Amino acid sequence: TLISPAIAVSSAQKADSFYRKGIAAEKAGDPVAAKKAYEAALKANPKHAHARYQLGQVKIHSKSIAEQGNKAKFDSVMIPEIKLSEATFHESVELLRILVEKESKGKVSPGFIIKDPDGKLAGVKVTLVLKNMPAKAVMKYLLEQSGARARYDKYAIIISPH
């Protein structure tokens, strides 16, 4: 069976295009779209080694890819201004959630889970006056003032005391 060079090039180009879409989806934190793109690349060219490798990586690391994507989306939201004076830690986190959702026009809705079984964060008061800061920086200041840390999960930002 002979395959014309034009068809072979077209299949290789399609595979490369799908592969690039898979890489972009991974960077955006969307492992489902990445998996579909790599599968499409392999359908166009079953010998596409990079697509095969990346498909395996997505299957292994899909949770962390989604977590990194959520973190990147949260981190990039710009907060024009936040003023807190002796606010509780819970009030501070709630205000940050509202501001991120508002400034992202609803595209980013961070879910915060505060794991504080001993109540270490309950008595913490936060005072901040910040302007034109990414949510990442606001979060950093909140965590530093309260002696807490955050972990980005697939569906939430989990905060706990140090």
Side-chain angles (χ1 to χ4, degrees):
T1 305
L2 293 174
I3 298 176
S4 79
I7 293 173
V9 169
S10 175
S11 293
Q13 287 174 337
K14 278 184 184 178
D16 285 341
S17 176
F18 283 121
Y19 172 74
R20 286 191 298 279
K21 287 179 183 178
I23 294 293
E26 273 190 74
K27 288 181 180 177
D30 189 348
V32 174
K35 181 177 182 252
K36 287 179 183 178
Y38 296 137
E39 288 171 344
L42 289 170
K43 185 174 181 183
N45 177 6
K47 294 182 180 181
H48 197 293
H50 295 297
R52 185 164 311 285
Y53 174 78
Q54 287 304 126
L55 178 59
Q57 292 301 300
V58 166
K59 288 178 179 178
I60 294 168
H61 301 291
S62 67
K63 182 180 175 191
S64 65
I65 291 167
E67 289 167 2
Q68 289 171 356
N70 291 341
K71 183 180 186 312
K73 288 173 191 170
F74 174 84
D75 288 355
S76 68
V77 175
M78 288 300 292
I79 306 297
E81 182 175 48
I82 185 167
K83 289 182 180 180
L84 297 167
S85 179
E86 295 297 309
T88 68
F89 181 73
H90 290 274
E91 290 168 339
S92 304
V93 170
E94 179 60 14
L95 178 59
L96 180 57
R97 184 194 65 75
I98 291 167
L99 289 172
V100 167
E101 195 166 326
K102 177 185 172 198
E103 296 305 320
S104 71
K105 296 176 179 39
K107 292 180 183 172
V108 180
S109 297
F112 290 102
I113 297 173
I114 299 173
K115 289 189 172 183
D116 186 20
D118 298 329
K120 292 180 181 177
L121 299 174
V124 171
K125 299 292 184 189
V126 178
T127 299
L128 285 177
V129 178
L130 301 170
K131 290 186 177 187
N132 298 319
M133 300 285 276
K136 173 185 184 175
V138 176
M139 175 67 99
K140 180 180 179 241
Y141 284 114
L142 278 173
L143 296 173
E144 284 176 357
Q145 277 197 31
S146 62
R149 63 178 171 226
R151 178 176 54 86
Y152 291 76
D153 200 339
K154 186 175 180 180
Y155 300 106
I157 300 170
I158 300 159
I159 299 172
S160 59
H162 273 293

